Amino acid sequence: MELKAVGTTSLLVSPLGLGTVKFGRNQGVKYPTPFELPSDSQIDTLLQLCRELNINLIDTAPAYGNSEERLGKQLADSRHDWVIMTKAGEEFIDGQSYFDFSKHALTRSIERSLKRLNTDYLDIVLIHSNGEDKKIIVEDEALFTLAQLKQKGWIRAIGMSTKTIEGGLLALDHSDIAMVSYQPLYTEEQVILDKALQLKKGIFIKKGLLSGHLKQIASQDPVKTTLEFIFKHPAVSSLVVGTLNPQHLKENAHWVSEALA
């Protein structure tokens, strides 16, 4: 896969990114079947496969259990080969999510992510929304806080993983990237993609493969159909998909390459 630009930032990312919630958390997730957390060896195998497939985007978050710490150990010797995207604003403690978008909480969260990921900079930090997108941006000024930390050199690009159309549009006005939902059964947020294209901002897609529930899509090959649909929109920089299955990763990379051919 050829790398793609993220808006007007200096970042180049693989069109398929590896989501790592399954590296550190198996409670309170909405996948169709339960799973055990992977061993260090399994994680190493997936990351080595990413290298072979030219996948350089790794997505994590403080809310993903100990995903950040595990990645920090695995990527320590090859930090500059990866674009690491983490988040701030949500914590997952004892089976429950807690949100805090204050300047103090966000700064502390990013300081902790830097230590956990064993790095002195973060390529991308997104606000991990609780659904109150407008309040987070306008009242809590969360993206302003991230912008200040970006100026300090802690972060290369900032954005928000939004849950509303209004929030996605606002995020594009105040940051580099919006991470949104978009797939054949849910196209309401296309207006955000259209605006990103106009403003030359980055778009990352989450839950593009319906978190393992693709049977809802009436197609002989729903994965191929979905990926072709997503990458038809020129605003899309990358689709983040979480998996512990090397074969699934290979297949997804193949279909993304086909969709972009």
Side-chain angles (χ1 to χ4, degrees), residues 229-247:
F229 175 85
I230 289 171
F231 284 102
K232 223 178 251 185
H233 200 295
V236 176
S237 299
S238 189
L239 163 69
V240 172
V241 179
T243 185
L244 297 178
N245 186 320
Q247 186 58 34

Side-chain angles (χ1 to χ4, degrees), residues 2-240:
E2 292 187 12
L3 303 183
K4 298 188 71 174
V6 181
T8 56
T9 73
S10 62
L11 295 171
L12 293 172
V13 299
S14 50
L16 179 65
L18 179 65
T20 65
V21 61
K22 290 183 176 181
F23 284 14
R25 172 179 161 188
N26 57 8
Q27 292 179 297
V29 291
K30 298 178 181 178
Y31 297 102
T33 55
F35 59 93
E36 295 294 324
L37 295 181
S39 66
D40 289 344
S41 176
Q42 287 174 296
I43 291 176
D44 182 63
T45 296
L46 282 167
L47 293 174
Q48 290 299 326
L49 181 57
C50 282
R51 283 177 172 278
E52 294 171 21
L53 298 170
N54 203 30
I55 294 171
N56 73 342
L57 177 64
I58 304 291
D59 174 62
T60 185
Y64 295 172
N66 65 345
S67 172
E68 286 186 319
E69 294 98 323
R70 302 190 78 182
L71 286 168
K73 293 175 184 176
Q74 293 278 352
L75 305 181
D77 296 331
S78 58
R79 169 67 183 93
H80 298 290
D81 296 336
W82 304 94
V83 175
I84 299 177
M85 175 167 68
T86 192
K87 304 179 188 74
E90 179 182 0
E91 304 285 338
F92 188 79
I93 304 169
D94 296 329
Q96 178 148 356
S97 285
Y98 298 87
F99 295 89
D100 190 339
F101 303 103
S102 66
K103 180 176 182 177
H104 172 75
L106 294 177
T107 303
R108 179 171 163 272
S109 176
I110 292 166
E111 287 176 331
R112 190 179 55 221
S113 290
L114 286 164
K115 290 178 182 177
R116 288 175 173 173
L117 287 161
N118 197 24
T119 183
D120 57 0
Y121 70 96
L122 298 166
D123 296 292
I124 302 169
V125 175
L126 304 181
I127 295 297
H128 217 164
S129 177
N130 63 352
E132 298 180 329
D133 295 343
K134 183 177 180 180
K135 177 181 180 298
I136 294 165
I137 296 170
V138 176
E139 295 180 31
D140 297 323
E141 297 185 323
L143 289 173
F144 179 69
T145 297
L146 292 192
Q148 290 180 313
L149 298 177
K150 180 182 175 182
Q151 286 184 331
K152 290 176 69 173
W154 293 16
I155 308 167
R156 296 177 66 193
I158 64 171
M160 187 168 181
S161 178
T162 59
K163 294 191 174 180
T164 65
I165 294 171
E166 181 181 34
L169 295 171
L170 273 173
L172 294 176
D173 288 331
H174 296 276
S175 66
D176 306 303
I177 299 161
M179 189 175 198
V180 302
S181 298
Y182 180 69
Q183 34 85 359
L185 298 180
Y186 179 73
T187 60
E188 285 85 344
E189 296 186 32
Q190 183 177 327
V191 63
I192 304 170
L193 277 66
D194 294 342
K195 181 173 180 177
L197 189 63
Q198 179 186 7
L199 296 181
K200 298 181 180 178
K201 298 293 181 77
I203 287 288
F204 290 164
I205 302 297
K206 58 183 174 179
K207 300 177 182 176
L209 299 184
L210 296 174
S211 301
H213 297 274
L214 274 179
K215 291 181 181 178
Q216 300 174 47
I217 293 178
S219 169
Q220 187 174 0
D221 195 330
V223 173
K224 179 176 183 289
T225 299
T226 300
L227 294 177
E228 286 177 346
F229 175 85
I230 289 171
F231 284 102
K232 223 178 251 185
H233 200 295
V236 176
S237 299
S238 189
L239 163 69
V240 172

